[in-house]
Amino acid sequence: MQNTTFVEGSSSDDLKPRLTFRIGVSGHRPKSSNKPNDPRKNGLSDAELEIVRERADAILDCILDAVGTLNSRLDHDYWSDETPEVRLVTSLAEGADTAFAQAAMDDARAMQLDVILPFQRDEYKKQQGFSPKAAIEFDRLANHDRRHALFELEGNKKEAGLPYLAAGRRVYEHADVLVGVWNEKSAAGTGGTAQILREALETGVPVLWLSPSGVTKLLTDASHLENHADLEDVFAEEGRFSDALSALVQRLLAPPKGKASERLLRFYREPSFTHTRRTAFSVLRWLFTHHDKEKREDLDTATKSNSTFMRNDFALNDSAVMAWDRYHQAAEDVGGERFAQTLRNRLAPRWRKADVVALYYGHSFRSAYVINFLLAAMAVIMGLTGVLWWTDDQWSMHAKAVFVALEITIVFAILFLTSYGREPHEVLFFGKCKFGQDWHTRWIDARTLAEQLRLARLPVLLGNSASPPQGHSERDDAWVEWYVRATLREIGPPTGLLNSDRLKRAIDTAIKDEIDGQIEYNKRAGKEYRQVDHALHVVGERLFVATLVVGLIFLSYYVFYVLGSGKELKPLMKSVVTLLGAGLPALGAALNGIRAMGDFKIVEKQADRTYAELVTVRDRLLKHREKPNRLETGRMFSEATRAMSSDLNDWVKIYRLRELGLPA
């Protein structure tokens, strides 16, 4: 079948994200009356709204300048050569939202607009009570050529402020910084500006607070909503912003530094691997599981099952390709052609690249430690094999020399393989010569990236952002989260009404093309690793029992020898018992070393736990599908994502410290 989703051999430029920045807006509407029960009696006066308009121009210009400065300063090692994109995310309510949208849609700024509505479009206009003039302006902005997305939630007007809360949450989820036009008063109801600002800060989204009087302060903690007197006004007297806002924008977008930067650039340069001949780990698994009649596929991905002992192919099988194609069709049904095309061109190929890189280095690392342990046992056996020629005066020294040479060769192979697979380091006798491919780190980083990108598939269908929280970690693997955030910035919300039919469509593809596949994977993984762990334990144990038997046989022979019989067997018995007495335990220790390094028992239990959690979520989703609602569907998608991300986190904890080393 033709692969319509993936094009193998993507260049580094295809992997680089577009420089994108998103500005969310949440603020008050205009004042309508002074009636005690009118929620808009504390809204913006005409004078205050004029101040907001002036500040909107200044804020957007400052952010655009900061993005442009960052783009011109970089040599595009990290970003694609595409023109940077700055988007405004808003619900287009009359007042602050509209003021910022008007400023963003000014032709001089050329920004994009993401509109997220709590109700279907016409119902929203009714709920807002737009004046004829305001309704015309709403339609102009919502239909603008540079409107990137228009996402409508099917809110229930009987649910008080819950629809507004849902829309507000999606606004800050799709924002790198949230502009809050707030009068410092408590929210008039659920989903009010104060609640949205607090939740945004609690989830790590910085807030640029703009008071109706024009005071503008940068808030980075929820406590700043009550305690902001000591914070500096970032709007300077001469009519421009201080460096604080520009510094924030560049800090949120700036690529990682140090080793994290090196790892990111190394990922861009990775070839598009199609196969590997480093198959020792696969052969080990086959030896202990080949009796299983169930169809077996690679446990790291849905690859074709035509691999051999000498080659593991990474091409996706037809069912995996069809699953991605169905997912993209579902994305088009839920969020429109543009939304689906972005997922197809941005998310899918980057997942695929990370997946094959993880496969290649995962096989390299695992095969290396399997070979190392087996070679270590072989070195012991080679060193002792010369004892078979002990009594041969003519050939004993020659035989010993041959087997010592073989032992030295094996030890050198272990040292070379270990050194070659480790991170770059100084090599003994070669000074500052760097040597090492860092298989372990490349495997862990690429697998983490692939899984985080794949896990993003479910929440984005519901208009949620799956971006990792904004962080500025100094960890060497911080580039992974930076890359995931940069990729998901490009996607944005879907376009369309998220009604029950589209919820059912999202549930169907979530079950069929994600959850069912992970259930099958974890079921198979738990079973296979249980078999491998048990087989390594049993074979290793039997090798030590065999050593015991050899020792008992020798002691029995010794009794006959003392009694004067069997003396002609003395040379053979000494040689064979010496060889087997040391060789069998060495081989048993090697198998137990492989077992300990692989942590198969822990991985098995982890897979069984994830399997059980996903089966529970799937069953609940199937029942919920009959009468789906957005909130419950979102919760179940989050549960499925948490189960799979917990599996990933546990996996990383297990293997992060399992670096390639000498067998001991």
Side-chain angles (χ1 to χ4, degrees), residues 34-39 41:
N34 290 314
K35 296 179 181 179
N37 296 325
D38 190 336
K41 66 185 179 67

Side-chain angles (χ1 to χ4, degrees), residues 69 73 108 121 141 264 308 342 377 466 472-473 540 587 614 644:
T69 299
R73 199 173 66 212
R121 179 171 172 166
L141 293 170
L264 171 62
T308 67
T342 303
H472 313 288
S473 173
L587 187 55
L614 289 177
M644 291 182 283

Side-chain angles (χ1 to χ4, degrees), residues 175-442:
D176 296 297
V177 63
L178 179 66
V179 178
V181 181
W182 178 50
N183 58 13
E184 299 185 68
K185 295 182 180 180
S186 300
T190 302
T193 300
Q195 181 178 1
I196 296 302
L197 299 189
R198 182 174 298 279
E199 288 191 9
L201 288 166
E202 289 174 347
T203 57
V205 178
V207 169
L208 186 64
W209 168 51
L210 171 59
S211 76
S213 64
V215 174
T216 311
K217 295 186 177 183
L218 190 59
L219 314 181
T220 56
D221 188 270
S223 63
H224 292 162
L225 292 172
E226 292 83 21
N227 305 306
H228 51 70
D230 295 335
L231 297 178
E232 179 185 1
D233 190 334
V234 297
F235 197 75
E237 293 182 0
E238 58 269 27
R240 62 176 180 81
F241 279 91
S242 68
D243 293 335
L245 183 56
S246 297
L248 172 68
V249 173
Q250 296 189 33
R251 182 168 61 90
L252 292 174
L253 291 176
K257 299 178 180 179
K259 282 191 175 182
S261 173
E262 294 174 7
R263 290 189 187 181
L264 171 62
L265 297 178
R266 183 174 66 183
F267 173 72
Y268 286 155
R269 296 191 299 267
E270 295 284 11
S272 294
F273 300 107
T274 59
H275 68 279
T276 182
R277 297 189 182 278
R278 297 163 181 172
T279 59
F281 183 76
S282 298
V283 171
L284 177 77
R285 281 174 29 215
W286 180 87
L287 286 173
F288 297 128
T289 62
H290 72 278
H291 58 278
D292 192 340
K293 295 182 180 180
E294 293 183 11
K295 182 178 178 181
R296 294 179 57 254
E297 293 177 338
D298 194 294
L299 284 180
D300 290 309
T301 191
T303 54
K304 290 186 176 179
S305 56
N306 59 351
S307 300
T308 67
F309 279 169
M310 299 303 297
R311 175 185 171 116
N312 280 322
D313 287 323
F314 300 154
L316 289 178
N317 61 29
D318 290 347
S319 63
V321 174
M322 291 173 63
W324 273 94
D325 285 344
R326 286 194 303 268
Y327 171 79
H328 290 136
Q329 184 58 56
E332 184 172 341
D333 295 342
V334 171
E337 183 178 354
R338 181 175 183 173
F339 177 65
Q341 193 66 26
T342 303
L343 291 171
R344 186 178 289 110
N345 294 341
R346 308 287 180 172
L347 184 66
R350 294 173 193 175
W351 166 82
R352 180 58 178 152
K353 177 60 179 286
D355 188 55
V356 296
V357 170
L359 283 170
Y360 182 81
Y361 290 113
H363 280 293
S364 299
F365 173 78
R366 287 164 152 175
S367 293
Y369 75 69
V370 168
I371 291 172
N372 268 356
F373 278 108
L374 294 178
L375 285 179
M378 189 60 64
V380 173
I381 294 172
M382 287 296 103
L384 292 170
T385 303
V387 301
L388 296 175
W389 285 266
W390 270 356
T391 59
D392 191 328
D393 293 337
Q394 181 179 358
W395 294 104
S396 61
M397 287 299 293
H398 299 298
K400 184 63 176 176
V402 169
F403 286 106
V404 167
L406 290 173
E407 181 181 13
I408 291 174
T409 301
I410 292 172
V411 171
F412 177 80
I414 294 172
L415 291 171
F416 176 84
L417 185 59
T418 303
S419 187
Y420 187 67
R422 288 174 53 197
E423 63 181 335
H425 56 284
E426 293 187 0
V427 180
L428 189 64
F429 307 127
F430 290 92
K432 296 183 179 181
C433 175
K434 296 295 182 180
F435 186 73
Q437 296 297 301
D438 205 7
W439 293 335
H440 177 262
T441 298
R442 290 161 107 157

Side-chain angles (χ1 to χ4, degrees), residues 379-607:
V380 173
I381 294 172
M382 287 296 103
L384 292 170
T385 303
V387 301
L388 296 175
W389 285 266
W390 270 356
T391 59
D392 191 328
D393 293 337
Q394 181 179 358
W395 294 104
S396 61
M397 287 299 293
H398 299 298
K400 184 63 176 176
V402 169
F403 286 106
V404 167
L406 290 173
E407 181 181 13
I408 291 174
T409 301
I410 292 172
V411 171
F412 177 80
I414 294 172
L415 291 171
F416 176 84
L417 185 59
T418 303
S419 187
Y420 187 67
R422 288 174 53 197
E423 63 181 335
H425 56 284
E426 293 187 0
V427 180
L428 189 64
F429 307 127
F430 290 92
K432 296 183 179 181
C433 175
K434 296 295 182 180
F435 186 73
Q437 296 297 301
D438 205 7
W439 293 335
H440 177 262
T441 298
R442 290 161 107 157
W443 171 42
I444 297 293
D445 283 0
R447 178 51 58 203
T448 304
L449 175 59
E451 294 306 300
Q452 287 194 10
L453 290 175
R454 185 179 58 78
L455 291 175
R457 300 196 305 169
L458 295 189
V460 298
L461 283 179
L462 301 183
N464 297 108
S465 174
S467 298
Q470 297 284 5
H472 313 288
S473 173
E474 300 298 324
R475 300 195 321 265
D476 293 343
D477 62 351
W479 74 270
V480 173
E481 292 184 354
W482 178 91
Y483 188 78
V484 173
R485 280 196 300 272
T487 295
L488 296 179
R489 280 191 187 105
E490 299 178 79
I491 296 173
T495 292
L497 174 64
L498 190 63
N499 55 23
S500 59
D501 288 339
R502 288 177 175 171
L503 282 174
K504 289 180 180 179
R505 186 74 174 91
I507 291 171
D508 289 342
T509 195
I511 292 174
K512 186 173 184 179
D513 302 322
E514 181 63 37
I515 296 175
D516 277 350
Q518 287 301 301
I519 287 174
E520 178 59 29
Y521 163 82
N522 282 283
K523 177 182 178 181
R524 193 172 68 246
K527 180 177 181 180
E528 184 163 319
Y529 283 124
R530 184 159 47 249
Q531 291 174 341
V532 172
D533 181 78
H534 177 72
L536 287 172
H537 170 70
V538 170
V539 174
E541 186 177 72
R542 288 177 180 176
L543 286 170
F544 280 98
V545 171
T547 305
L548 178 63
V549 171
V550 169
L552 291 174
I553 291 173
F554 178 78
L555 290 177
S556 299
Y557 164 76
Y558 176 71
V559 172
F560 287 101
Y561 175 79
V562 171
L563 295 176
S565 61
K567 293 187 176 181
E568 67 281 1
L569 297 176
K570 173 183 174 182
L572 178 62
M573 290 297 293
K574 287 175 60 180
S575 301
V576 172
V577 170
T578 300
L579 178 60
L580 295 179
L584 293 176
L587 187 55
L591 295 180
N592 277 287
I594 293 171
R595 183 180 176 222
M597 190 74 174
D599 261 329
F600 301 114
K601 194 71 174 178
I602 295 178
V603 176
E604 168 212 329
K605 291 181 178 179
Q606 173 188 315

